[in-house]
């Protein structure tokens, strides 16, 4: 049975048309789900009994189950259990500009990035759209807050689950529903070039972030196997095309790994690579995990790297460190949970 949170407003209109009911019922249902946040069809009191019964037959309305929660000053980390017992994570970060949620898009991940905890579990399956929607709804309800920003940077490669992710974005962007602005949504990819090209045709103003993490193929091949399929030149070319088409600025994420990609010469090489591109670089202090041998760069090294990019006219920021206490790195909570058992 399909979950009702999988449906875009248009799909729900289509559904009502097909059962010979008026299309505006779709809007009513949407408002019950996303504005009034009811948990059962029975609570939708302006919809007649026969239709409610029909909805109950046709859709499930089950949310994800919160299995575990970790709390730190500015972070809340959630471990969810899916209906097939698989586990995924979401992380809520409190910024001065609002509440940002990091959601997972797959169970496990096939990208095998050397530094990343998520990929230790290979992809089991894609998440359905409702499983992504439910991460938002459950966290909002648990904390009694509204999420203002969304990043698709949890477990999984969003562009390896392209259709469900795009459907999910349509659902949460819908003004009659959660109404999260496209400009407040960021999709992060390890660099699946064909999907970046496809994404360039998406009319929504969603932000694109690229996990670059290296200034050349030699280093990138070592830490991100996806680079062997789509080397840096191809990746940069597709990003340029994306910018030309959309007029939107792209973010390059760059994890600072001690003695791997954090030297002065790498900063110079990165500056050359990105020269003239409408982008900014987000330097990410590496979140060390017990299973992986990479070390985080020293603070001074990160500052030097930052200064070199600045000097070369590259827009650059350093990401605030969140959740050291709560194992906030991608995939860490699930991984630790499995070990505890
Ligand atoms: N697969 C997508 C999105 C999920 S990963 C992607 O690769 O972009 C989200 C971001 O977290 C990526 O930039 C990833 O490289 C980074 N990341 C993974 N493990 C990390 C760690 N231990 N510390 C800091 N950043 C990490």
């Amino acid at each position: 049975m399909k979950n009702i949170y999988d449906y875009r407003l248009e799909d729900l209109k289509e559904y009502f048309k097909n059962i010979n009911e008026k299309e505006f019922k779709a809007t009513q249902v949407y408002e019950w789900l996303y504005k009034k946040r009811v948990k059962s069809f029975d609570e939708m009191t302006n919809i007649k009994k026969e239709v409610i019964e029909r909805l109950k037959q046709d859709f499930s309305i089950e949310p994800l189950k919160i299995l575990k929660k970790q709390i730190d000053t500015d972070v809340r980390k959630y471990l969810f259990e899916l209906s097939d017992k698989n586990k995924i994570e979401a992380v809520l970060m409190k910024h001065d500009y609002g509440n940002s949620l990091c959601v997972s898009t797959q169970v496990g991940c096939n990208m095998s990035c050397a530094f990343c905890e998520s990929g230790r579990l290979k992809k089991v399956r894609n998440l359905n759209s409702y499983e992504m929607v439910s991460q938002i709804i459950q966290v909002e309800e648990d904390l009694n807050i509204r999420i203002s920003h969304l990043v698709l940077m949890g477990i999984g490669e969003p562009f390896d689950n392209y259709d469900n992710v795009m459907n999910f974005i349509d659902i949460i962007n819908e003004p009659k529903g959660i109404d999260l602005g496209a400009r407040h949504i960021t999709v992060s990819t390890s660099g699946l070039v064909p999907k970046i090209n496809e994404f360039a045709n998406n009319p929504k103003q969603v932000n694109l972030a690229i996990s670059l993490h290296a200034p050349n193929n030699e280093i990138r091949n070592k830490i991100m196997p996806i680079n062997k399929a789509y080397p840096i030149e191809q990746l940069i070319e597709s990003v340029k095309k994306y910018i030309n088409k959309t007029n939107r600025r792209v973010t390059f994420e760059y994890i600072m790994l001690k003695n791997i990609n954090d030297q002065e010469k790498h900063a110079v090489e990165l500056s050359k690579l990105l020269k003239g591109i409408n982008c900014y670089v987000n330097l990410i202090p590496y979140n060390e995990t017990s299973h992986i041998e990479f070390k985080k760069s020293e603070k001074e090294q990160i500052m030097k790297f930052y200064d070199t990019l600045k000097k070369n006219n590259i827009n650059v920021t350093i990401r605030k460190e969140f959740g050291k206490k709560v194992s906030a790195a991608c995939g860490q909570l699930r991984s630790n949970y499995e070990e505890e058992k």
Side-chain angles (χ1 to χ4, degrees), residues 228-242:
K228 290 174 190 154
Y230 308 110
I232 282 198
E233 307 77 56
Q234 279 183 36
L235 178 58
I236 296 295
E237 203 42 50
S238 76
V239 169
K240 282 184 183 162
K241 271 199 244 149
Y242 169 89

Side-chain angles (χ1 to χ4, degrees), residues 115-116 153-154 156-158 188-190 211 213 253 255 286-287 329-330:
F115 48 79
C116 180
M153 296 186 186
E157 167 51 53
S188 176
T189 180
S190 57
S211 293
H213 305 329
E253 297 161 89
I255 296 182
Y286 181 58
N287 213 320
C330 241

Side-chain angles (χ1 to χ4, degrees), residues 212 214-216 232-233 236 240 252 267-277 314:
L212 187 61
N216 59 47
I232 282 198
E233 307 77 56
I236 296 295
K240 282 184 183 162
F252 287 102
V268 172
E269 203 175 1
L270 184 64
S271 305
K272 282 189 188 138
L273 183 70
L274 301 182
K275 191 171 171 216
I277 300 179
I314 304 289

